[in-house]
């Protein structure tokens, strides 16, 4: 072993670029950038990575505002020094409040670099509006939105009109329209709060094959006959005692569930949670 050169020992550096990209796709971008100090080979390697993972968790930070500014400066610097290659996936997760202008900048960068998979988990202020470039993005195939709003996204309308969108996951967003001609998988998840407003969902997704809902009181409407639908999973009030609800609340949930299931009637497979079965 002592006679072996450093090049022979460093087997990671000799791996193909595609393999290295795959390995780095599981890491926080902060750590991938730090590899630039390892050797000349690694100095600019991170600038061509097709995967960007930005994660900020405020837990344990005493000087929160200072740490958040540092995190935002880092994200901006990565965008500035990265080359113009396309993005396969961008993940932005920040559980602290983010200015709308900054969040828009992140989304614009992703779209301008033909991102295929985009995950946004952010606490934006009420002035935030989804930029039109995202809602009509040609390259986007997978979109995951987790909104940490004070109102859990109540009253917010999302129109996903991405022509090539195939997978969509929405968390804590209650009111939206979806128009996506190639959408195949749709997941809608929300906190188990039966006292919030009904989740009003209108879809125009003729190729939808899988639908999953976990929440309180869904009200699904469709502008298309969902003839391609294969699998449906509905879990109502996970972790919430159904017996604590008032009779009128139970009736509202039952009526909405009946309406929703009538829209999903073409499904070949249906899975209902225990509460959904009681309601039904």
């Amino acid at each position: 072993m002592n006679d072996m050169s450093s090049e022979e020992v460093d087997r990671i550096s000799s791996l193909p670029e595609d393999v290295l990209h795959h390995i780095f796709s599981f890491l926080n971008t902060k750590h991938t950038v730090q590899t630039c100090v390892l050797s000349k080979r690694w100095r600019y390697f991170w600038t061509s990575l097709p995967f960007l993972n930005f994660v900020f968790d405020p837990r344990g930070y005493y000087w929160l505002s200072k740490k958040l500014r540092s995190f935002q400066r880092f994200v901006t610097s990565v965008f500035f020094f990265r080359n113009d290659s396309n993005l396969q996936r961008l993940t932005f997760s920040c559980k602290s409040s983010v200015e709308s202008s900054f969040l828009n900048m992140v989304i614009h960068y992703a779209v301008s670099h033909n991102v295929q998979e985009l995950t946004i988990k952010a606490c934006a202020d009420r002035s935030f509006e989804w930029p039109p470039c995202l809602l009509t993005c040609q390259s986007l195939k997978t979109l995951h939105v987790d909104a940490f709003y004070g109102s859990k996204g109540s009253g917010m309308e999302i129109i996903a009109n991405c022509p090539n969108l195939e997978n969509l996951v929405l968390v804590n967003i209650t009111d939206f329209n979806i128009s996506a001609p190639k959408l195949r998988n749709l997941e809608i998840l929300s906190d188990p709060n039966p006292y919030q407003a009904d989740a009003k969902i209108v879809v125009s997704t003729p190729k939808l094959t899988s639908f999953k809902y976990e929440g309180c009181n869904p009200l699904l409407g469709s502008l298309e006959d969902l003839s391609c639908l294969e699998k449906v999973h509905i879990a109502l009030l996970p972790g919430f005692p159904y017996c604590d609800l008032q009779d009128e609340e139970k009736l509202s949930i039952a009526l909405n569930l009946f309406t929703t299931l009538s829209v999903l009637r073409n499904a070949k497979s249906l899975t209902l949670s225990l509460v959904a079965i009681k309601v039904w």
Side-chain angles (χ1 to χ4, degrees), residues 64-256:
L64 176 59
S65 59
K66 182 178 179 180
K67 290 292 184 179
L68 180 59
R69 288 195 299 270
S70 177
F71 171 72
Q72 292 178 338
R73 285 196 300 269
F74 171 74
V75 174
T76 304
S77 297
V78 170
F79 289 164
F80 181 80
F81 288 106
R82 186 179 177 274
N83 63 27
D84 290 330
S85 59
N86 289 336
L87 282 171
Q88 183 171 335
R89 185 181 70 235
L90 188 148
T91 298
F92 180 84
S93 177
C94 182
K95 294 184 179 180
S96 181
S97 179
V98 179
E99 292 182 359
S100 296
S101 58
F102 184 80
L103 189 55
N104 267 304
M105 184 270 292
V106 172
I107 295 173
H108 276 282
Y109 182 88
V111 173
S112 65
H113 288 76
N114 299 314
V115 66
Q116 297 182 36
E117 303 174 32
L118 179 62
T119 297
I120 299 292
K121 300 180 180 181
C123 179
D125 55 52
R126 283 195 164 273
S127 66
F128 175 74
E129 295 182 2
W130 297 99
C133 66
L134 172 65
L135 307 182
T136 58
C137 181
Q138 298 286 326
S139 62
L140 193 61
K141 294 183 178 180
T142 298
L143 176 62
H144 183 134
V145 178
D146 191 339
F148 294 95
Y149 297 92
S151 60
K152 299 299 181 185
S154 178
M156 183 178 180
E157 182 173 304
I158 300 270
I159 302 176
N161 197 30
C162 305
N164 296 307
L165 189 66
E166 297 179 359
N167 308 290
L168 178 61
V169 180
L170 300 175
V171 183
N172 288 332
I173 299 177
T174 56
D175 296 343
F176 49 87
N177 298 333
I178 302 171
S179 176
K182 293 186 179 180
L183 188 69
R184 299 179 59 84
N185 303 298
L186 173 60
E187 294 187 21
I188 301 168
L189 314 174
S190 63
D191 292 339
N193 178 11
Y195 308 112
Q196 71 179 20
D198 302 345
K200 299 175 183 177
I201 310 158
V202 178
V203 298
S204 179
T205 53
K207 293 188 177 181
L208 190 69
T209 61
S210 176
F211 176 79
K212 179 179 180 181
Y213 178 87
E214 293 184 359
C216 308
N217 203 355
L219 183 56
L220 179 66
S222 177
L223 303 178
E224 305 279 351
D225 183 18
L226 303 179
S227 57
C228 297
L229 196 60
E230 296 181 0
K231 294 190 297 183
V232 171
H233 172 87
I234 296 180
L236 296 183
L237 303 174
F240 189 90
Y242 176 70
C243 58
D244 289 352
L245 295 178
Q246 301 296 322
D247 290 341
E248 58 271 19
E249 293 166 342
K250 294 179 181 179
L251 179 60
S252 174
I253 293 176
L255 291 175
N256 283 354

Side-chain angles (χ1 to χ4, degrees), residues 28-45:
N28 190 320
T29 299
K30 178 180 179 180
H31 299 145
T32 62
V33 172
Q34 290 173 342
T35 62
C36 68
V37 301
L38 297 179
S39 67
K40 291 183 178 179
R41 162 83 194 278
W42 295 95
R43 185 174 182 181
Y44 299 108
F45 181 77

